[in-house]
Every structure is written in structure tokens, then in C-alpha cells.
Amino acid sequence: MKKIKVNIVVPSLVQGGGPRVIFSYANYLVEQGHDVVVYVPILYVWPKVRNGKINWKTSVGNFLRGNKLKWFDNKFKIKLIFKISDSYIRDSDIIMATAWQTAQSVYNLDDSKGKKVYFIQGYEVNDEGTNKIEVEDSYKLGMNMLTITNWLKELIRSVSEQKVKVIHNWTRDEEFIREEKQINNPRSIIMLGNTAIHKGWSLGLEILKKAQEKYNCRIILYGVRQIPDLPESFEFYQQPKRELLMKLYSEADICLFPSIREGWGLIVTEAMAHKCAVVGNNTGVVLELCKDEETALISKSKTVEDLENKLFRVIEDERLMKKLQDNGYELAKKYSFSNQSKIFEEYLLSLVE
């Protein structure tokens, strides 16, 4: 098999689900003998539609972090560069943009830097919608576009009418639960603690408070940043290590997924891999892969009342909960890391062959 040089440009090394996907693929490529370098720009400049202004917050953060990736065990090289330009990036076979903010800069690079790939993991329009034109313009650049769901593919094509490759996200093979799942009484519910509006935080928090009050449920939350004013009875784990996070999934009966808009939602398939019954809104991986009443209980209206009623149904009906746990587990197994990463590698090789 041909060994290739791959350059990946990321906005920063901040912890998150999207970066974890990118860095896991990068590690896999290194393990297969490919030469991978991840580039992080210090001078983080907005696209020209914002008059080339510097994003100082991200720029300063990138400088202070340097090339240290503290939350992920990387096998690839990380290079901190002054800015995204031909002077700072090596020649390679593939050059990949991973965010709309850097897509234009990557596109402007010389062809010697590699075949240009744009890896899109979500519709990155902010909650206010102020960057909608910028995001959609990035789809029209003419790069080889790769995304994670068919609904994202159709959205991109409605804007650009260009060819888009879909490779679904995954769960690591070793993170699937092997032992028999124990049912808790009262139930345990896990949810991502992220206060961004599109993550449905306020909606989810309201439902969890009612669930604990009515059923005395154990509530497990985790996230990158500590969240103020949580009920004292709620458990919160800040940036838990993977071993602890997998343990928390194993201890939970149900995963609540209240996101209003999501590219994928790694918590869903990770929870399924640990036989958590998923109750969630119809977005991201739930919209893409799940079947209502079979692999998840799905709220299409995305209202507090509907999502709450569905969660309470699962809490009260152990037979339904067990069915969702078992079916979700079988669904997640179809999207293992070993399978999806191989597809990712083959896609990149096809571009240079």
C-alpha cells in the first residue's frame, strides 16, 4: 500500500468531540505507516468577509498551549506555525481543512501542499446565525469534501452542488462493554454538560431535575468546563479521563441527548456501546442512524414536554429500556473504529492515486 504525507490544519488543540475524531484518524494513519503532521496557527485570522481581523482569543490560546496536546495521546507530529501559508506548511500528498474558519486559507495554499480536503463535522453556523454566509461560502471553494452524515451531505450539496463523501463516525472497538449490563433502581441517567444553546442544555437540565424529583434518579453529567449552579445532588465530572468516562457510561441506564442541532453527537454511540438506552432529539446521529422505538426513543418536535415524556417512559418501562439498550448496542457495533478508519484511509489514498 502506498504511504502518503498528510497535513491536517486545525483551529486549535482545545478538547472536544470533533477534534477527538480528527486526532484518532491521524493516529490511525501513523500506525499504518503514513507521515502525518497537524498544524496549529498562532495568528488565527478570520476569513476575508470579516476583513481579515485577527481572532485574538484563539491566537493567544494557541500560543500558550504550544504543541502540547494534554488530553489526547497523539502519535502524530504537531507543529505550531505563525499562520497558514506556503512558507510554514510542508509539501505533502493531502492537505486537510477541518473548520470553516481555516478553509479559505487552506484552499489558497499552493498545490504542492497536497490534494485539498475539507472535513466537515457539523453545520458550523453559530446560535445567532451571524456567520451563515461565511460557513456556506466555505462549501463553494471546490475542495474534496468529506462529512459524517447524509443529512450534512445534502445540506452542503444544496449550497454548492459539489460531490461530498460520507464516512460515519465510530466508537473505539475496545470501548464496547463486554460484561452483562446491570439495571439500576432507581435509574441512572448520563448527559453531556455543555451550555451551548444548540446543545439543548437548558432543556435537558429542566428534564433531569424533574426526573430526579419524581424518580430519585442518579444524574451524571460531564463536560470540558465546570458548570455553575448545578443541583448539589447532580454529579459533574470535569474533563474525565477516558477510563472514567467509560465507567460512567457503564453505570448509567439511560443517555439523554437534548441537542437541538448536532453534526453527530459522540455521546450517543459511546453510550450505546455501553448499553445505555438513548432518549434524544431528532438530530445528528439520532437523525442519521436511529429508528424510533427500536434503537432510541426520538423526539421529533424537540420540545421539553415530548422529550420529558419519552424519558419518563423509559424510566418506568424496564422492558422497553432493555430493548433500546440491546438494539442500540448492535447498531453501534456496525460503526467500530477499525472499520470506519480503514474507510477513511482508503478515501485519502483514492485522492492521490
Side-chain angles (χ1 to χ4, degrees):
M1 181 184 294
K2 178 181 174 67
K3 304 303 178 185
I4 59 175
K5 289 183 177 180
V6 180
N7 294 334
I8 302 174
V9 179
V10 299
S12 75
L13 299 177
V14 171
Q15 183 172 356
R20 178 173 293 282
V21 170
I22 295 162
F23 298 153
S24 296
Y25 278 141
N27 268 1
Y28 174 83
L29 292 174
V30 171
E31 289 166 356
Q32 306 312 305
H34 304 294
D35 183 357
V36 181
V37 176
V38 168
Y39 290 92
V40 187
I42 296 175
L43 192 63
Y44 192 66
V45 181
W46 289 110
K48 60 183 178 181
V49 284
R50 294 201 184 181
N51 301 317
K53 291 182 179 179
I54 297 171
N55 182 333
W56 288 109
K57 181 179 179 181
T58 301
S59 296
V60 171
N62 286 351
F63 175 75
L64 293 176
R65 274 184 294 271
N67 64 347
K68 304 301 181 185
L69 190 50
K70 296 181 179 179
W71 59 272
F72 188 90
D73 184 18
N74 60 293
K75 297 179 173 62
F76 49 85
K77 295 182 286 291
I78 300 174
K79 287 194 176 181
L80 194 65
I81 57 175
F82 180 62
K83 63 179 180 178
I84 303 169
S85 73
D86 291 329
S87 301
Y88 297 101
I89 293 177
R90 66 174 183 171
D91 292 352
S92 68
D93 299 294
I94 298 287
I95 178 78
M96 181 182 296
T98 59
W100 70 270
Q101 297 96 328
T102 58
Q104 181 73 57
S105 298
V106 170
Y107 177 74
N108 290 341
L109 293 173
D110 189 81
D111 288 345
S112 65
K113 306 306 170 184
K115 295 282 187 179
K116 290 162 185 172
V117 177
Y118 185 10
F119 188 18
I120 303 166
Q121 295 194 67
Y123 184 50
E124 298 176 283
V125 173
N126 59 35
D127 293 321
E128 296 76 28
T130 55
N131 65 334
K132 184 175 186 290
I133 294 174
E134 299 163 282
V135 171
E136 295 187 353
D137 279 350
S138 73
Y139 301 157
K140 302 173 185 177
L141 293 170
M143 291 193 279
N144 298 284
M145 287 193 286
L146 169 65
T147 192
I148 57 176
T149 59
N150 283 292
W151 74 263
L152 269 171
K153 172 184 175 179
E154 294 309 313
L155 186 153
I156 295 164
R157 284 180 55 80
S158 71
V159 174
S160 68
E161 297 184 355
Q162 295 182 57
K163 186 176 180 180
V164 183
K165 172 72 174 179
V166 175
I167 302 176
H168 289 121
N169 277 346
W170 36 263
T171 299
R172 284 200 167 278
D173 304 55
E174 66 273 14
E175 291 181 346
F176 284 86
I177 193 171
R178 306 301 177 190
E179 65 272 12
E180 186 65 28
K181 181 83 172 186
Q182 300 299 313
I183 302 296
N184 296 297
N185 280 302
R187 307 288 187 239
S188 294
I189 306 170
I190 192 168
M191 188 181 86
L192 175 65
N194 186 324
T195 58
I197 295 173
H198 70 276
K199 294 288 186 178
W201 167 250
S202 57
L203 181 153
L205 184 62
E206 180 180 341
I207 294 171
L208 289 179
K209 287 178 179 178
K210 292 180 181 178
Q212 189 174 71
E213 180 181 353
K214 185 172 182 177
Y215 301 102
N216 193 33
C217 295
R218 176 190 177 193
I219 305 301
I220 304 168
L221 302 172
Y222 73 91
V224 174
R225 298 175 183 85
Q226 186 65 49
I227 299 173
D229 303 321
L230 286 175
E232 290 185 5
S233 55
F234 283 19
E235 299 173 28
F236 183 85
Y237 299 86
Q238 185 174 7
Q239 296 186 30
K241 292 184 177 180
R242 290 300 287 178
E243 295 79 7
L244 174 56
L245 181 56
M246 297 305 111
K247 181 175 182 290
L248 295 173
Y249 283 133
S250 297
E251 294 174 358
D253 302 288
I254 303 165
C255 171
L256 184 64
F257 181 63
S259 288
I260 305 302
R261 188 186 75 248
E262 193 77 60
W264 182 265
L266 287 177
I267 186 173
V268 172
T269 42
E270 288 178 350
M272 284 179 170
H274 288 79
K275 293 192 176 180
C276 293
V278 171
V279 180
N281 284 328
N282 199 32
T283 186
V285 63
V286 172
L287 171 63
E288 182 75 3
L289 299 179
C290 294
K291 184 177 180 181
D292 194 22
E293 302 278 343
E294 293 294 328
T295 51
L297 232 54
I298 303 172
S299 172
K300 295 181 180 178
S301 66
K302 302 179 183 177
T303 62
V304 171
E305 295 76 18
D306 190 38
L307 195 60
E308 177 184 302
N309 289 336
K310 285 176 165 51
L311 176 64
F312 289 2
R313 268 189 65 199
V314 177
I315 291 172
E316 295 174 2
D317 189 340
E318 185 170 318
R319 181 176 295 182
L320 172 62
M321 185 174 72
K322 189 70 167 61
K323 174 186 174 183
L324 296 177
Q325 289 175 343
D326 291 341
N327 290 346
Y329 183 76
E330 293 302 318
L331 176 64
K333 282 203 299 186
K334 296 178 181 178
Y335 299 95
S336 65
F337 179 72
S338 57
N339 182 58
Q340 301 308 100
S341 55
K342 182 66 175 174
I343 296 172
F344 182 85
E345 179 190 23
E346 290 172 350
Y347 169 70
L348 297 186
L349 289 172
S350 72
L351 297 179
V352 299
E353 289 172 352

